[in-house]
Amino acid sequence: MKKKSFGLSLGAVLVLVGVFHAPHAWAQGADAADEAADAQAYCTFIKQKAKAQIITLRSPDLTIRVDNNSTENQKSQTKVVASLSKDLVDFNKSRYVRRLADNECEVYRLSLQMQNAAQYTLAGLDEQALTYKLGLFDQAGNQMHPIIDKLKQQVRTQNATVIDLYNAQSLLRKVETMAQQTKRELAAVRRTSQWRKGVSLNDLLKQVWQAEAGRQTNLTQLEKQGNWGLELQAGLKKNLNQTNNTSNNSDSNQVDPYFSVNARYNLGAVASNRLLDASRDSYMKWKSSQVNGMPKELANMIASAVKLKNAEKERLEQLSGYLGSDGTLVQLMGDLDSPEALNFKTVLKGNQLLNAIEQSYTQRRVDLLTQLLEESGL
């Protein structure tokens, strides 16, 4: 009785390859607990310092002044003034100090996110792609187990050879070995990955830009407050009259109220304010002249992503042109019915299966990198 070589059917391989493009649930990266704690600690420091400045700016100053004047006939007059004073411009300053503290907190929080994006985004993409690849291996293994069970039954009925079964089992072991290697790579990547699902680099850049613009606006307004002032002073004064004849000292214990208003305006305020506005605009223009307004670390990460995408696309083209991946060799041997030819087809289709997994994995990496660059505006 002639033994038939089972081999992996082309239809089975196509079924395996077909599931590689199915959607897969991604594991979300590590949470942002450490980052939030860092931002909160810095924000507490900034706001406590701002509160201290606001208390100082809104509290009146206690002033005690002693004046002593002597006359030509040796008479002297001593005046003591105790008063509370406050410059009304300080209330304006306190508003901008509070706003500036809020700006500082927001800029620092976003800068931490930007640093993490620059440091961990590519690792996060690797995590997603490797998770996808691991799913491909799992699906391939699950599809191959029924095929091997069928092969074992056909070996018993002498409708397949032991070589057929060995080839199929060897392919399964190779798939399982590559899956274990992928798990190790995934575990290593997850230790350095903080990818967050739904984080858009483009939105993050806009938030950083808005926060920086707000900080510069409030800082400019705070600096402008030094060009004017309106100080109110109220208190009590007492004249201590002293002469050579102490008997004429009846009014020395009289206490009178005291009130004064002092206004000031810097004559260079208009020119100064104009230059302050120009310096703010120049700063924002300088920030925007950087790589799409990105911090240097993020710009370097984006440049690396561009290079990586180009390399992956080249690799994808090589995998697409893999020998026999288009079924040509199978068609050429379609008329051959020898066990050797059928075994060769089995090995060839097994290699096509592994190539299809690698090709689908590479395509996923290209798609993720493309999405990243689109989000960053490139």
Side-chain angles (χ1 to χ4, degrees):
M1 181 178 178
K2 183 178 179 181
K3 294 182 180 179
K4 295 181 180 179
S5 178
F6 176 75
L8 288 176
S9 67
L10 183 58
V13 173
L14 292 178
V15 170
L16 291 175
V17 174
V19 298
F20 296 159
H21 300 282
H24 192 82
W26 305 115
Q28 188 170 352
D31 59 23
D34 293 340
E35 177 187 307
D38 187 5
Q40 183 60 42
Y42 179 78
C43 190
T44 299
F45 156 70
I46 288 295
K47 290 195 172 183
Q48 285 177 340
K49 188 175 181 181
K51 285 181 180 179
Q53 293 175 334
I54 290 172
I55 290 175
T56 300
L57 289 169
R58 292 183 175 181
S59 299
D61 297 324
L62 173 63
T63 304
I64 298 177
R65 189 175 75 250
V66 178
D67 296 331
N68 184 275
N69 297 320
S70 297
T71 60
E72 295 180 356
N73 57 0
Q74 302 299 322
K75 290 182 179 181
S76 65
Q77 185 179 46
T78 300
K79 180 173 63 176
V80 178
V81 178
S83 63
L84 296 177
S85 62
K86 189 71 236 167
D87 195 333
L88 297 184
V89 74
D90 288 342
F91 291 99
N92 260 355
K93 288 181 179 180
S94 67
R95 287 192 303 135
Y96 290 114
V97 167
R98 185 181 65 253
R99 294 177 185 176
L100 197 56
D102 292 337
N103 291 142
E104 289 288 347
C105 289
E106 184 67 5
V107 169
Y108 185 76
R109 182 184 67 82
L110 292 172
S111 68
L112 283 181
Q113 290 189 18
M114 193 65 72
Q115 290 173 13
N116 286 339
Q119 186 174 359
Y120 299 119
T121 294
L122 291 183
L125 294 183
D126 286 339
E127 179 185 351
Q128 293 188 68
L130 287 170
T131 303
Y132 180 75
K133 186 178 183 180
L134 184 60
L136 300 183
F137 284 128
D138 290 341
Q139 293 171 36
N142 292 335
Q143 290 285 340
M144 289 182 66
H145 281 294
I147 296 175
I148 292 178
D149 292 340
K150 186 176 180 180
L151 262 177
K152 290 179 179 178
Q153 182 63 31
Q154 290 182 333
V155 169
R156 295 190 191 100
T157 60
Q158 297 185 345
N159 290 322
T161 66
V162 176
I163 296 178
D164 296 330
L165 180 59
Y166 172 78
N167 288 336
Q169 289 177 332
S170 297
L171 177 60
L172 177 59
R173 295 293 179 268
K174 190 171 185 178
V175 168
E176 292 174 344
T177 300
M178 295 177 72
Q180 290 299 321
Q181 176 62 29
T182 302
K183 286 183 179 179
R184 288 192 292 270
E185 294 176 3
L186 186 57
V189 167
R190 281 175 175 165
R191 285 195 291 268
T192 58
S193 171
Q194 292 188 6
W195 176 264
R196 291 175 207 160
K197 189 176 181 180
V199 173
S200 169
L201 285 179
N202 196 23
D203 291 342
L204 186 56
L205 283 170
K206 290 179 180 178
Q207 292 175 22
V208 170
W209 181 261
Q210 292 171 355
E212 186 64 40
R215 178 171 68 172
Q216 290 303 316
T217 297
N218 287 317
L219 184 60
T220 300
Q221 290 298 323
L222 181 61
E223 291 172 339
K224 288 181 179 180
Q225 302 309 306
N227 290 326
W228 69 279
L230 182 63
E231 183 183 41
L232 304 180
Q233 190 173 31
L236 299 173
K237 66 178 181 178
K238 181 177 181 180
N239 293 322
L240 302 177
N241 294 325
Q242 295 180 351
T243 62
N244 292 333
N245 187 1
T246 58
S247 62
N248 299 326
N249 204 19
S250 59
D251 60 344
S252 61
N253 292 322
Q254 183 177 350
V255 177
D256 298 316
Y258 172 80
F259 179 79
S260 70
V261 177
N262 297 317
R264 63 178 178 81
Y265 180 78
N266 190 292
L267 297 180
V270 174
S272 174
N273 290 345
R274 188 183 301 116
L275 288 173
L276 285 172
D277 290 337
S279 68
R280 178 200 59 207
D281 296 340
S282 297
Y283 177 84
M284 298 308 296
K285 183 178 180 180
W286 167 70
K287 292 291 289 185
S288 65
S289 66
Q290 298 176 350
V291 186
N292 285 354
M294 297 180 187
K296 183 178 179 180
E297 297 83 358
L298 185 60
N300 291 338
M301 185 273 291
I302 294 298
S304 299
V306 172
K307 293 179 181 179
L308 185 58
K309 177 186 174 181
N310 293 334
E312 292 294 335
K313 290 180 69 175
E314 291 179 3
R315 183 166 180 264
L316 187 59
E317 291 178 0
Q318 294 174 354
L319 291 171
S320 300
Y322 175 75
L323 180 63
S325 61
D326 58 356
T328 302
L329 290 181
V330 177
Q331 294 173 4
L332 290 175
M333 300 186 66
D335 296 332
L336 300 179
D337 195 27
S338 66
E340 292 79 8
L342 294 175
N343 285 331
F344 177 78
K345 289 180 183 179
T346 300
V347 175
L348 178 61
K349 291 175 184 178
N351 289 333
Q352 289 176 345
L353 172 64
L354 296 177
N355 178 75
I357 291 176
E358 197 65 27
Q359 186 175 344
S360 184
Y361 162 68
T362 305
Q363 181 64 60
R364 183 61 184 170
R365 286 177 61 83
V366 171
D367 293 342
L368 290 171
L369 289 167
T370 300
Q371 180 183 358
L372 171 66
L373 295 175
E374 288 176 351
E375 288 180 353
S376 61
L378 298 177

